[in-house]
Amino acid sequence: MARVDLDGRAIAPMTICMIGAGGFIGSHLCEKLMAETPHKVLALDVYNDKIRHLLEPESLPWAGRIQFHRINIKHDSRLEGLIKMADLTINLAAICTPADYNTRPLDTIYSNFIDALPVVKYCSENNKRLIHFSTCEVYGKTIGSFLPKDSPLRQDPAYFVLKEDASPCIFGPIEKQRWSYACAKQLIERLIYAEGAENALEFTIVRPFNWIGPRMDFIPGIDGPSEGVPRVLACFSNALLRREQLKLVDGGQSQRTFIYIKDAIEAVLLMIVGSPFPLFV
C-alpha cells in the first residue's frame, strides 16, 4: 500500500540529499525510502558497504532512485551542488562513538560542528529544508545528579526530569573531554535555530536516544577493529561471545533509553512527509 502524508494525500516525489547515508541510521532510512516512498535519494558518504544491497543490481524496483556519491564533506566542492539539486537535506554525518569523545576530542568537535557549518550555510542560502541529527546528550545533566546521596530531594522525580523549554543546560567541566560531543552538537543546534530565526531556514532537529538494531556497531576483532570500543550492547555481545564478565557502568546503576531502529525510522519518515516546522524529537 502506498504511503500518504499526514493529511491523507498521496506523497509527492521529492529529491533528498542524505549526508551520511552509508551509516547505521542512514542505511535503514534509505531502505525505508526506497521501499515505501517515491522519493529519490542522493546518498553521500565515504563508504557504501551498508547500502550496497540498495545500489546493485540494476534490476531492483527502485533502480535509478538512489545514487551514491563518495564524498567527504570536509573538503568537496560538490556538496553545495548536490544540496541545490535536492528538495530536502538530511545530515547524519558525525563522530558519535562514546569511545572517541575522550581519545579524539578535536575530531569530535570538528566533525559535529565545523564540518556541519557548510551544510547549514548551503541549506539556508538556497532555501532548502534541513533535517539535522543531533543527540540526546545536548540535554546535559539533571539537577538531581548533583544532589547528595542522602538528600531526601532524590525521592522527587522532578529533579531528574529534563524539560525542553525550562531545564538549565548542565555539562561537565572543560577538562572532561567526553562532553566535547554534546557541546559541539548543541552549538550547531544554536546556529541552525539562529538561521531559522534570522534567515527563515526551515529545519527539524532530531535528538536520538540510543537507537539500536542491525548494522549498528561492531564486535571487536570479528567485524571491527580489535582495539576499538563499541557501544554498550555490542560490548555485552562481545563479552558473551568471549565468555567474559559483562562490564556495567556505575555497577549497574546507570539507566538507558533504547529505541529499535525500525520504530525510529518510522518517526523520521513522518518528519519527512510532515510540515517543515522546527521540531525537536
Side-chain angles (χ1 to χ4, degrees):
M1 180 183 296
R3 294 189 69 109
V4 295
D5 65 16
L6 299 180
D7 296 317
R9 298 171 298 198
I11 297 175
M14 71 170 71
T15 298
I16 299 172
C17 177
M18 190 184 305
I19 302 167
F24 166 52
I25 297 175
S27 65
H28 286 277
L29 183 53
C30 284
E31 284 180 344
K32 190 80 167 178
L33 290 169
M34 292 301 101
E36 300 186 18
T37 78
H39 302 327
K40 179 179 179 180
V41 174
L42 306 175
L44 282 58
D45 213 320
V46 290
Y47 303 108
N48 65 3
D49 300 22
K50 296 180 180 180
I51 58 171
R52 189 169 292 148
H53 62 291
L54 301 174
L55 303 173
E56 49 192 45
E58 294 183 358
S59 59
L60 291 169
W62 50 76
R65 287 203 294 117
I66 181 169
Q67 300 175 1
F68 178 68
H69 298 265
R70 195 176 301 277
I71 283 181
N72 185 331
I73 63 171
K74 289 176 181 287
H75 42 66
D76 200 304
S77 59
R78 293 174 291 169
L79 178 61
E80 183 176 12
L82 289 165
I83 289 176
K84 284 182 176 180
M85 291 170 57
D87 304 295
L88 164 70
T89 293
I90 301 176
N91 188 16
L92 292 154
I95 288 180
C96 53
T97 303
D100 290 329
Y101 306 164
N102 289 317
T103 59
R104 301 170 57 200
L106 283 178
D107 287 341
T108 299
I109 294 169
Y110 270 79
S111 173
N112 292 291
F113 178 65
I114 302 297
D115 296 348
L117 290 176
V119 177
V120 179
K121 177 176 180 286
Y122 296 149
C123 286
S124 183
E125 291 178 349
N126 294 285
N127 298 314
K128 303 294 183 179
R129 183 185 170 208
L130 171 65
I131 296 180
H132 181 81
F133 274 69
S134 184
T135 172
C136 63
E137 290 208 19
V138 300
Y139 291 106
K141 298 181 177 183
T142 63
I143 294 175
S145 66
F146 290 91
L147 295 174
K149 297 293 185 182
D150 58 352
S151 172
L153 295 178
R154 280 186 167 271
Q155 304 305 313
D156 186 345
Y159 289 100
F160 296 90
V161 174
L162 292 166
K163 298 181 179 179
E164 182 67 54
D165 299 319
S167 295
C169 183
I170 305 173
F171 289 160
I174 297 298
E175 67 176 13
K176 301 295 184 182
Q177 301 208 75
R178 62 96 53 234
W179 289 101
S180 59
Y181 174 64
C183 289
K185 282 291 193 181
Q186 198 207 58
L187 188 54
I188 197 67
E189 277 197 25
R190 291 187 179 278
L191 180 77
I192 293 169
Y193 196 91
E195 283 285 357
E198 294 190 25
N199 298 320
L201 171 67
E202 294 180 345
F203 69 88
T204 301
I205 289 175
V206 188
R207 295 171 175 170
F209 280 79
N210 296 305
W211 293 5
I212 60 172
R215 303 191 292 270
M216 171 191 172
D217 226 330
F218 63 92
I219 304 296
I222 296 178
D223 61 349
S226 298
E227 69 280 2
V229 180
R231 296 174 182 84
V232 60
L233 292 185
C235 281
F236 286 170
S237 300
N238 184 43
L240 290 170
L241 288 170
R242 302 178 191 278
R243 298 182 180 277
E244 299 172 351
Q245 289 188 341
L246 303 184
K247 296 180 179 179
L248 302 179
V249 177
D250 295 331
Q253 296 300 309
S254 179
Q255 298 181 11
R256 306 284 183 95
T257 299
F258 294 103
I259 302 176
Y260 185 56
I261 185 64
K262 301 295 184 183
D263 298 325
I265 291 301
E266 183 67 29
V268 175
L269 200 60
L270 292 176
M271 298 175 204
I272 291 173
V273 303
S275 299
F277 293 109
L279 176 69
F280 300 94
V281 177

